[in-house]
Amino acid sequence: MMAQDVKIAVTGAGGRMGATLIRLIAGTDGLAVTGGLEAEGSPHIGQDLGLLAGLSAPLGIAATADALSVIKDADALIDFSAPKASVEFAALAAQARIVHVIGTTGFSAEEEARIEAAARHATIIKAGNMSLGVNLLAALVRQAAKALSSDWDIEIVEMHHRHKVDAPSGTALLLGQAAAEGRGISLGDHSERGRDGLTGARAKGAIGFASLRGGSVVGEHDVIFAAENERIVLRHIAEDRGIFARGAIKAAQWGQGKGPGLFNMADVLGLN
């Protein structure tokens, strides 16, 4: 008996990430595109997903704003959208008992709590970055922070394209959290952001963030460990959004049959 295709729906079907996901899913054996979501009023609603993604032939599935109809027919939803929308999708995924892969960043504490609540009924895989390289980098950052004393200052510098709306990036926060875990401290209590003017000397043990925006940069992240007379720089450069899409697809496949829970890419990659 042949295994059935994993049915995957995507959010933001008319956007750059949505189009990348549709192309990769449609071109991968064992996977099937079953739906694509767009916000109410989007000019992409009603358009064929295959044509939106630049495929040579239509898929016979139109983009829609009806999340319930898309989610009920899917095994997984891959979601790079906005915090408010992702929280609503998580609730629907919990009702449908499907896998919800969340690449959205910029959640408030209340929104994080609502996603955690939804994960009691849905398999939710949430990560500030879906790439293999970034998650390996996070493991290295955690290890380095554990090995080095607080005499080593930690700074995280990230750059993204001019259209990114949140800062620091979800990836920068993921790396900052890894550093904090390595040191056994709370990131919230040791985070320094947005220095300007006469700020005084750097606080010992702080984890600093700097966010740069411009052009079409997909994503660059440096984690700098600086001590007297020496520095260690761990860097990741993303050159194509396909790395995030491939990671999200891997997560959607990994989540099949896992049961309810809140997971991250380190779980998917076996790094935890």
Side-chain angles (χ1 to χ4, degrees):
M1 182 177 177
M2 294 183 63
Q4 289 187 329
D5 290 346
V6 177
K7 298 177 291 184
I8 302 178
V10 303
T11 66
R16 289 173 296 181
M17 181 59 76
T20 301
L21 284 164
I22 290 168
R23 288 194 298 271
L24 288 173
I25 296 166
T28 303
D29 290 340
L31 305 179
V33 179
T34 57
L37 288 170
E38 274 290 321
E40 288 282 1
S42 167
H44 301 303
I45 290 176
Q47 295 186 39
D48 186 89
L49 297 182
L51 300 181
L52 279 176
L55 297 177
S56 59
L59 290 176
I61 306 167
T64 178
D66 185 355
L68 185 59
S69 69
V70 167
I71 288 173
K72 72 178 181 61
D73 293 328
D75 298 317
L77 175 70
I78 298 179
D79 173 23
F80 290 83
S81 58
K84 182 179 178 181
S86 290
V87 169
E88 294 173 358
F89 297 148
L92 292 175
Q95 292 177 26
R97 302 296 199 270
I98 68 167
V99 175
H100 185 193
V101 178
I102 303 176
T104 307
T105 59
F107 292 99
S108 68
E110 180 187 353
E111 288 164 338
E112 295 277 11
R114 291 176 63 186
I115 288 173
E116 290 176 11
R120 292 198 288 266
H121 303 286
T123 306
I124 297 181
I125 302 154
K126 178 177 171 293
N129 191 295
M130 293 285 172
S131 85
L132 169 62
V134 161
N135 283 278
L136 286 173
L137 174 60
L140 294 172
V141 167
R142 188 178 295 107
Q143 184 177 357
K146 184 177 182 179
L148 301 171
S149 73
S150 60
D151 290 333
W152 289 75
D153 301 322
I154 303 176
E155 292 285 313
I156 300 171
V157 181
E158 54 100 348
M159 183 167 186
H160 284 83
H161 53 86
R162 63 169 64 96
H163 303 292
K164 188 166 180 60
V165 298
D166 59 315
S169 70
T171 302
L173 293 173
L174 180 153
L175 296 171
Q177 183 61 38
E181 289 171 0
R183 284 202 167 160
I185 60 176
S186 162
L187 179 61
D189 294 337
H190 294 82
S191 177
E192 279 193 8
R193 308 183 190 181
R195 301 184 185 105
D196 185 28
L198 296 174
T199 61
R202 188 186 196 282
K204 184 174 181 178
I207 299 173
F209 292 87
S211 299
L212 313 180
R213 297 289 179 265
S216 58
V217 176
V218 174
E220 297 182 8
H221 294 83
D222 285 358
V223 182
I224 304 165
F225 294 85
E228 294 295 325
N229 304 313
E230 60 182 327
R231 280 180 293 160
I232 299 169
V233 181
L234 302 177
R235 170 176 290 179
H236 181 270
I237 298 175
E239 298 178 343
D240 189 298
R241 285 176 180 78
I243 64 172
F244 311 127
R246 284 188 287 273
I249 291 169
K250 182 180 180 70
Q253 293 174 292
W254 177 88
Q256 300 303 309
K258 282 292 183 298
L262 183 59
F263 304 95
N264 58 36
M265 281 302 291
D267 296 311
V268 174
L269 299 171
L271 297 175
N272 280 340

